[in-house]
Amino acid sequence: MKVEGEISPLFGFSRETLDQVIDESIIKLTEWLKTGLINDSCFPSVAFGCSCALAELNGELPKQTNYSKALLYTFDDLKKLILNVNKIKNKKIVKIKINNNKILKTSNLINLLFETIPKLNLRIDANRSLTFNEANTFINNINVQYRGYIDFIEEPCKTYEESIQFAKNTGINIALDESIREVNFKLKSDFGVTTIIIKPTLIGSLSYCRDLIKKIHLLGLNAVISSSFESSFGLTQLSRIAYWLTPNTIPGLDTIMYNDSQLIRVWPGCFLPVKQLNDLKIIWKS
Ligand SMILES: [Mg+2]
């Protein structure tokens, strides 16, 4: 019997360490062997990995997906992207990571990108890196006629309040990512907030994510399932979850290039070598 789930805490983002995750996983697997159930771990990566494995086992997680993804680029890739526009001509959505370095150069490149690929939709992720003034400088340097093609900027400013003020001043939509993982976060409608980024490995179990997505949709907001640098195995599960729970939204899953190999399942279009289970180290077995 195969029960497969990926538990991959992300260094610097997950609050749980790898050692904690290994200990907790053994506790949870022992619990499952005894009772046939796994109660959600308080460590999000463990809760998500275990719940996905059980959902695979009991057929709850549908197998279908179309592997769609917003193409992910950083500032350094952007020039290459403009030289290779054919790569993205038929794609609807590109996501660009920005930071407070080279704000004007980045916005100039974004203008060039819109000029080269008309009607491209852009998601921009600032990871809370910009001051309020920097965020305004950035957006003011993007030609007015292109701004409507920016679907959202993820967490533009250092604080939530500044990001909301930025949305009020500029009319640019905001997506929340880091904010939703804060202890005191309460999901609500707020001016300019249109989208919530869901990174299950950093958030929790499949049922928790599913409930959260329902609440997001009830508020009239979009939920975007996104990866946290999981392996190709985890990405294929995330892709199926996205197809199941957010079928009308393109997920943020374009992170396979940050791996040096694939794991068990192949990510479409990726030519990295594929490791199988017997290539991995066994930590525990029943
Ligand atoms: Mg983000």
Side-chain angles (χ1 to χ4, degrees):
M1 180 172 54
K2 264 191 185 174
V3 191
E4 293 176 328
E6 175 167 334
I7 299 172
S8 50
L10 182 59
F11 182 74
F13 292 86
S14 292
R15 58 176 185 265
E16 61 272 29
T17 65
L18 184 59
D19 285 343
Q20 286 175 317
V21 159
I22 291 171
D23 291 346
E24 175 78 352
S25 302
I26 294 170
I27 290 169
K28 290 292 160 190
L29 289 171
T30 310
E31 181 183 312
W32 177 61
L33 285 174
K34 274 190 193 155
T35 66
L37 294 170
I38 299 183
N39 289 315
D40 282 355
S41 167
C42 60
F43 295 144
S45 60
V46 178
F48 178 63
C50 290
S51 63
C52 268
L54 289 182
E56 289 269 21
L57 184 69
N58 63 27
E60 188 198 2
L61 175 58
K63 295 216 180 303
Q64 307 92 299
T65 183
N66 57 8
Y67 298 103
S68 68
K69 60 186 191 295
L71 297 176
L72 179 63
Y73 292 92
T74 61
F75 171 79
D76 291 328
D77 305 322
L78 216 48
K79 281 186 209 157
K80 284 183 236 156
L81 172 66
I82 288 166
L83 293 173
N84 289 294
V85 282
N86 284 340
K87 266 190 182 174
I88 58 165
K89 265 198 168 143
N90 299 320
K91 302 285 177 181
K92 285 188 193 144
I93 294 181
V94 164
K95 174 168 169 173
I96 297 173
K97 290 248 180 205
I98 65 164
N99 56 43
N100 62 349
N101 260 332
K102 306 173 188 165
I103 292 170
L104 288 177
K105 274 190 184 166
T106 308
S107 44
N108 285 338
L109 277 176
I110 288 173
N111 282 327
L112 192 56
L113 191 62
F114 277 126
E115 217 170 278
T116 320
I117 311 165
K119 297 188 179 172
L120 175 79
N121 279 70
L122 215 56
R123 297 172 178 175
I124 297 171
D125 187 3
N127 292 106
R128 293 181 165 176
S129 63
L130 307 180
T131 64
F132 183 69
N133 287 340
E134 286 168 341
N136 282 287
T137 304
F138 171 76
I139 206 66
N140 288 334
N141 197 44
I142 291 180
N143 293 344
V144 177
Q145 74 264 32
Y146 299 144
R147 291 183 205 165
Y149 294 103
I150 297 175
D151 285 352
F152 55 72
I153 303 186
E154 241 174 90
E155 307 261 0
C157 301
K158 292 183 188 299
T159 68
Y160 179 85
E161 292 72 24
E162 284 174 328
S163 286
I164 299 297
Q165 192 56 47
F166 168 79
K168 283 181 182 165
N169 288 4
T170 61
I172 297 288
N173 294 329
I174 298 295
L176 301 181
D177 177 5
E178 291 85 352
S179 293
I180 77 152
R181 301 195 297 273
E182 286 185 340
V183 182
N184 296 325
F185 177 76
K186 285 205 171 56
L187 184 67
K188 62 179 192 306
S189 283
D190 217 337
F191 190 93
V193 176
T194 59
T195 305
I196 308 290
I197 308 297
I198 303 285
K199 292 178 173 158
T201 288
L202 302 181
I203 290 180
S205 71
L206 191 54
S207 62
Y208 178 81
C209 291
R210 206 176 162 185
D211 286 349
L212 185 58
I213 291 166
K214 268 187 203 156
K215 287 177 191 158
I216 290 167
H217 287 162
L218 278 174
L219 284 172
L221 306 176
N222 288 322
V224 177
I225 303 274
S226 290
S227 51
S228 318
F229 302 98
E230 292 85 354
S231 73
S232 60
F233 175 86
L235 284 176
T236 58
Q237 281 185 330
L238 286 167
S239 179
R240 287 159 58 199
I241 293 168
Y243 192 73
W244 176 35
L245 302 179
T246 60
N248 301 317
T249 305
I250 295 188
L253 302 176
D254 193 19
T255 49
I256 190 69
M257 68 279 210
Y258 296 105
N259 291 269
D260 50 20
S261 61
Q262 303 192 72
L263 183 62
I264 306 168
R265 294 178 190 168
V266 174
W267 184 251
C270 178
F271 300 103
L272 288 169
V274 183
K275 284 186 178 169
Q276 296 301 332
L277 275 185
N278 52 15
D279 296 317
L280 304 181
K281 186 176 153 195
I282 295 174
I283 301 279
W284 175 87
K285 61 181 174 182
S286 64

